[in-house]
Amino acid sequence: MALVRDSLLGLSTSWFFCVLVAVLAVQPHRAYGLSRGFFGPKRTAVAPPVAGICASSVTVHGYKCQELEVTTQDGYILSLQRIPEGRVRDGEVKRQPVLIQHGVLVDGMTWLLNPPEQNLPMILADNGFDVWIANTRGTRFSRRHTSLDSNQPDFWNWSWDELVSFDLPAVFDFVYGQTGQKIDYVGHSQGTLVALASFSEGNLVKQLKSAALLSPIAYLSHMDTKLGVVAAKFFVGEIVKLFGLAEFNPKEKPVGNLLKSLCAHRGVDCYDLLRALTGKNCCLNSSTIDLFLMNEPQSTSVKNMVHLAQTVRNGVVAKYNYGRADYNLNQYGEATPPIYNLSNIPHDLPIFISYGGQDALSDMQDVMLLLDKFKTHDVDKLSVQFIKDYAHADFIMGLNAKDLVYNQVVAFFKRHH
Ligand SMILES: *[C@@H]1O[C@H](CO)[C@@H](O)[C@H](O)[C@H]1NC(C)=O
Ligand SMILES: *[C@@H]1O[C@H](CO)[C@@H](O)[C@H](O)[C@H]1NC(C)=O
Ligand SMILES: *[C@@H]1O[C@H](CO)[C@@H](O)[C@H](O)[C@H]1NC(C)=O
C-alpha cells in the first residue's frame, strides 16, 4: 500500500495515465477502502455510491443540491448537479451560473473530495454563484442512453469530438435555459480541450460569459516521457484492433493486462514514471487521495483514448483520425481530419488560464504553444497564471488551491460580469 500511495502522490486525476495507477491500485485500494469503510461497512471501495453526487458529497455539508438530467442530441442521458446557493443565504435572487467540467477518467465528484472550505464548487457557491457540475458520458452517473445499453459496442462509439458536438452543447443549452443567463465555465484537463475546440468552432460562445481553464491541454506533443510515448503509440497502433469499439474501464482486467504489457517495455519503470509522467503534485491531502481512490477512476471509451493519443502524437488539435483516407473522406469529406483552429476563438472572450510548473501532462512548452494562439487576444480579456509548484491534480484537489487558484477564478469572473 505504501508503494501505491506514494506513487499516487504523483498522480494526475484527469489524464489517461491515471489508468496506470488505477490498475496498480485496484486490489490494494479495495482492501484498504473496505477497512476504512468510508461509504459504510457494506460497500466495497470500488462500488459506485448508490446515492448520487448530491447526497454523498454535497447535502451532507449543508448545501442545497439538485440532481438533474440532460439528454444529448445523440441520446446520452447525462447527470448534472446543481448547487444553487452557498451555505449562508444572502437573499440574492439572480445568481451567476457557473458550469464545472471535469477531465477524462474521472467524474464530477472529483471536484468535491476536499472539505467545503477547499473545494471549488462550494467555494463558488459561497461566493454567490449558482453552481452546475457536469458528468461526461460513460462515467458512472452518465451511463444511460435513450436507445442503447452501456454494454453494447455502439454506446462507446465516440471520442472527445462528440463531447464537443453533443455533451457540452446539451449541458450549456440546459443551464442557459434554466437560468436565462450567460454562463461562466471552469474546465480541467480534457474539460479545457473540449471547451477550446468548441469555442474555436464558434459554438457555445453566445451562451458563455467567461472561461477558466485549469491545467489546459490542447497541445500534448511535449509530454515526452517514455511511458507516455509507449502508451500513445500503443493506443494509436493496436488498441482499436484489440478492443474494438468498447468501454475503456480502468477497473477491469483487459485494461490491467494492457498496463502490464506497457510497463514491460524496455526502459519503462511504471513506479518511477508515474510521478515523472503526471508531475509531482505538491499539495494533496492524503485523506483526499483515499477518497479519490474510492471514487475514481471512471470509464471512457477506447475511441476517446485513441483520439487523445492522436493529439499526443500529431501535435495538432484535430478531429478523430480514422487512420484511413477513405474512412476520413467518408466521415469528413477530406482525407485528413479537419483541425480545430484555435486562432478562431473570439478575441473578446474573457479567458483565464492557470497552469503548473510541475504538470507533466499540461507541459509548459505545450501551454506556450497554446498561449501563442492567444497572441492577438484582447489583452484585457486574457489572464494567465503560472503556479510553479503545481502539477495536474493540484488544480482540482490541492489543499491550497483556494488561495492560489480558486480565489483568482472568482475574481476574474466577477471582473467580467
Ligand atoms: C460510429 O460512428 C460513426 C459516426 O460518428 C459512424 O460513421 C460509424 O458507422 C459508427 N460505427 C459503428 C461501428 O457503429
Ligand atoms: C485533510 O483532510 C482531512 C479530512 O477531510 C481533514 O480532517 C484534515 O484537516 C485535512 N488536512 C489539511 C492539512 O487540511
Ligand atoms: C486558422 O485561422 C486563422 C485566423 O482565422 C487563419 O489565419 C489560419 O490560416 C487558420 N489556420 C489553418 C491551419 O487553417
Side-chain angles (χ1 to χ4, degrees), residues 129-407:
F129 288 81
D130 173 10
V131 180
W132 303 71
I133 303 172
N135 292 269
T136 301
R137 61 178 64 185
T139 59
R140 63 187 147 178
F141 299 117
S142 294
R143 293 174 66 89
R144 286 178 303 135
H145 188 276
T146 50
S147 64
L148 298 170
D149 191 275
S150 65
N151 59 27
Q152 293 175 276
D154 282 356
F155 182 92
W156 301 100
N157 186 12
W158 52 270
S159 76
W160 57 262
D161 284 332
E162 280 70 26
L163 308 183
V164 172
S165 337
F166 299 113
D167 277 29
L168 268 187
V171 175
F172 263 75
D173 283 348
F174 187 81
V175 175
Y176 188 73
Q178 294 283 310
T179 62
Q181 293 187 75
K182 285 194 176 188
I183 300 162
D184 284 332
Y185 178 88
V186 183
H188 178 252
S189 197
Q190 182 181 262
T192 69
L193 175 64
V194 293
L196 290 164
S198 295
F199 305 159
S200 78
E201 304 219 303
N203 296 333
L204 311 180
V205 293
K206 286 191 201 70
Q207 298 163 327
L208 180 72
K209 196 163 248 173
S210 307
L213 309 175
L214 313 180
S215 269
I217 60 164
Y219 300 98
L220 284 164
S221 46
H222 290 94
M223 194 190 59
D224 61 352
T225 53
K226 204 129 200 168
L227 182 53
V229 171
V230 170
K233 255 192 201 139
F234 188 87
F235 274 105
V236 175
E238 296 173 54
I239 198 173
V240 189
K241 278 180 237 146
L242 207 72
F243 288 81
L245 277 183
E247 174 170 3
F248 187 85
N249 185 344
K251 292 170 188 157
E252 283 179 354
K253 201 156 178 189
V255 177
N257 291 341
L258 165 65
L259 166 76
K260 280 192 202 126
S261 75
L262 293 180
C263 290
H265 273 249
R266 184 197 299 273
V268 176
D269 176 340
C270 281
Y271 173 67
D272 283 334
L273 275 179
L274 281 170
R275 221 170 228 205
L277 268 174
T278 63
K280 188 172 176 296
N281 294 290
C282 63
C283 303
L284 304 185
N285 182 341
S286 63
S287 308
T288 304
I289 295 173
D290 292 347
L291 281 182
F292 175 80
L293 282 176
M294 291 178 213
N295 287 285
E296 316 291 348
Q298 299 292 317
S299 290
T300 187
S301 68
V302 167
K303 191 173 176 180
N304 189 36
M305 296 300 277
V306 173
H307 193 186
L308 290 167
Q310 289 173 351
T311 312
V312 175
R313 298 224 313 173
N314 303 339
V316 290
V317 186
K319 298 202 177 187
Y320 182 80
N321 191 339
Y322 284 87
R324 282 177 50 167
D326 54 340
Y327 282 31
N328 286 333
L329 207 58
N330 182 42
Q331 198 67 34
Y332 307 118
E334 298 166 44
T336 55
I339 65 158
Y340 291 101
N341 189 343
L342 301 188
S343 300
N344 290 338
I345 293 174
H347 294 176
D348 59 351
L349 184 66
I351 292 183
F352 175 93
I353 291 176
S354 186
Y355 67 105
Q358 298 296 318
D359 194 333
L361 298 181
S362 177
D363 184 275
M364 289 205 288
Q365 289 185 69
D366 287 323
V367 174
M368 290 309 135
L369 283 177
L370 173 63
L371 291 178
D372 195 54
K373 299 288 169 189
F374 289 98
K375 272 197 314 254
T376 52
H377 208 79
D378 294 359
V379 279
D380 57 338
K381 296 290 167 67
L382 182 66
S383 185
V384 179
Q385 181 189 39
F386 171 63
I387 304 176
K388 189 161 77 40
D389 294 334
Y390 260 32
H392 214 61
D394 289 314
F395 287 94
I396 24 175
M397 301 188 290
L399 280 167
N400 51 0
K402 177 183 188 195
D403 295 331
L404 295 184
V405 185
Y406 305 157
N407 285 345

